[in-house]
Every structure is written in C-alpha cells, then in structure tokens.
Amino acid sequence: MTREQALRKIQACLRLAASSNATEAATALRQARALMDRYGLTEADAASSEIGDAEATTGFRGDELPLSLMALATVVADGYRCRVIGSQQRSTTWRGDELSLQRRTVVRFLGAGADPQIAAYAFTVLRRQLQKDKRKHVSRVRKQANRERRAEEFALGWVTAVRRLFPSAELPERRAAAIEQALNQRYGELTQSTGKQFKGGRVKPDDFDSGFDAGRGAYVNQGLAEGQAKLEHLP
C-alpha cells in the first residue's frame, strides 16, 4: 500500500469513526490508528490530503503583485473558505537558436471540495474586469509614474467596493488547520509580502472614489451551476 492509498484508507476510517454505531466507530478508529502508526502518518496528514488547490493567472510576469491585486485575491479567498498564496513561475522556451526565459506570477487558492476552483474562477473574472476599468481610467495619463500610481489608487477603491460581494465565509477550525498543514507540506516556509508599492507619481482626489464607483458595478450571480460561480459585469 502506497502512502496515498494509506491516506485514503485513513480518511475512510475516520469518517466511519463518526458513526452513531459505537462498535463500528471504535473499530474504524482502531484501524485508522493502526494505519497511522504503520505509515508514520497523523490525523492532520489525512485531513490535509483532502485539501485541493487551483491556480489563477495575474497578468504579471515575475513582478511582485500590487497591494490592490493581493487584496482582491484575499477577498475572494475569504469568501470561498480558502487560503491564497502568490508565486513566481519560470519556464524556458526556444526562440530560434536562443533559449528564452519566461516568467509569470500566479495566485493559488487552497481549500476543500470545489472551493479552490470556484475561487480561482471568480478571481480571474474579476481581475479581468478590474484591469479593463483601470485601463479606461488612466487611458489619457501620459506620464508612466502618474499612470501607475493613479491606476493603483483606482484599483484599491474598486476592490473596496467589491468586498461587499464576498462576505467572509465561516471556516471551520479543523478545515483551517488542514489547509495550514497542506500549505506547510507543499510549499514549506512562506514569506509575507505587503505588495508592490507605487511611491512615485501623483494621484488625484477622485481616483479612489472613481474606482469605488466602478467596482460597485461588479455583480456576482450566486446561482451556482455544477459547482461553478458565474460572475458578470453590469453595464
């Protein structure tokens, strides 16, 4: 029996251990403990193995993510009982006779059941809406430093408005512990980031408010079809 097979067996035994039949529950618990001892596993290992993950692109290539985009990912993760991390990925491709290094920054949602996939889908759709609204807002700003700073201020207002669509869902203590265990096992020690800072350039007083007004146009259709959340933008 492989480690993965043992984990699945332990999971099944632990589910039976919650049975109202005392004899059945005791037998299942003994079997689970025996398997844990045999393969050097814990109940936390079994719980974390049920945690899935889903990846979403950010449109950034190897750069640190802006605070606004990190905030959007966190809002979505909290709304779908997930944890989210960002990571930089590197790959190489041949362009003619030269080897080219490709970089991109992604976010990854971890949670149980369909939660990570739904969260990644929601983030992707909202992120595209944000990018579209942000580009429109700064389309006539010529100086790059001003354009970046004003776009970020607009985006922070936009995410603040979208927050109302994703009230934090209750995350049971055991599931939170399982997600934390999965993070540690799969990614090791993680570093905290406050996001990319845009210190140069100037903002206008209405940049944040304009973003907030635009963000209020984002709409979440809570009618889920086959576990998928459909998001759309009101005209």
Side-chain angles (χ1 to χ4, degrees):
M1 185 183 300
T2 65
R3 185 179 187 276
E4 288 71 25
Q5 290 172 331
L7 283 169
R8 286 196 293 270
K9 182 69 173 177
I10 292 169
Q11 291 165 5
C13 289
L14 290 174
R15 283 191 288 269
L16 286 174
S19 170
S20 58
N21 185 310
T23 301
E24 183 180 68
T27 301
L29 187 58
R30 283 197 301 271
Q31 292 176 340
R33 294 298 181 193
L35 285 167
M36 290 182 205
D37 292 342
R38 180 178 178 182
Y39 291 93
L41 299 169
T42 66
E43 190 170 341
D45 291 325
S48 65
S49 69
E50 294 184 315
I51 299 300
D53 58 73
E55 177 186 293
T57 59
T58 65
F60 285 78
R61 299 184 181 278
D63 296 328
E64 186 178 15
L65 295 178
L67 173 60
S68 59
L69 206 56
M70 293 174 61
L72 178 60
T74 301
V75 166
V76 173
D78 289 345
Y80 288 111
R81 301 171 295 274
C82 292
R83 282 283 306 278
V84 61
I85 61 172
S87 65
Q88 295 183 5
Q89 297 183 347
R90 294 175 174 82
S91 61
T92 55
T93 57
W94 285 99
R95 289 186 176 181
D97 295 331
E98 295 184 356
L99 192 62
S100 175
L101 175 64
Q102 304 293 325
R103 299 191 302 171
R104 65 175 187 152
T105 303
V106 301
V107 290
R108 187 172 293 278
F109 295 89
L110 286 87
D115 287 346
Q117 288 74 26
I118 297 173
Y121 177 80
F123 172 82
T124 298
V125 175
L126 285 176
R127 193 263 301 173
R128 289 172 179 168
Q129 293 177 13
L130 171 58
Q131 292 296 108
K132 180 180 178 181
D133 289 346
K134 190 168 61 173
R135 283 195 300 266
K136 182 179 179 180
H137 180 69
V138 297
S139 61
R140 296 184 180 181
V141 182
R142 294 186 177 181
K143 188 176 180 180
Q144 182 176 350
N146 291 344
R147 186 167 60 249
E148 290 179 343
R149 183 79 181 276
R150 292 186 61 187
E152 176 68 357
E153 191 73 8
F154 176 93
L156 290 170
W158 200 95
V159 174
T160 300
V162 168
R163 190 181 301 274
R164 82 193 193 285
L165 302 176
F166 292 91
S168 296
E170 182 179 356
L171 184 60
E173 185 176 342
R174 290 187 64 182
R175 184 182 297 185
I179 293 175
E180 195 65 31
Q181 178 81 354
L183 279 169
N184 292 334
Q185 289 179 341
R186 299 172 196 179
Y187 303 103
E189 185 176 354
L190 298 172
T191 58
Q192 297 289 333
S193 172
T194 57
K196 185 177 180 180
Q197 302 295 315
F198 295 90
K199 296 181 179 179
R202 296 180 179 179
V203 299
K204 287 193 173 183
D206 64 343
D207 286 331
F208 185 94
D209 291 340
S210 295
F212 187 86
D213 289 341
R216 290 176 63 186
Y219 175 72
V220 180
N221 183 351
Q222 294 293 359
L224 302 183
E226 299 179 354
Q228 284 287 329
K230 181 182 179 181
L231 284 83
E232 56 190 23
H233 206 47
L234 290 177

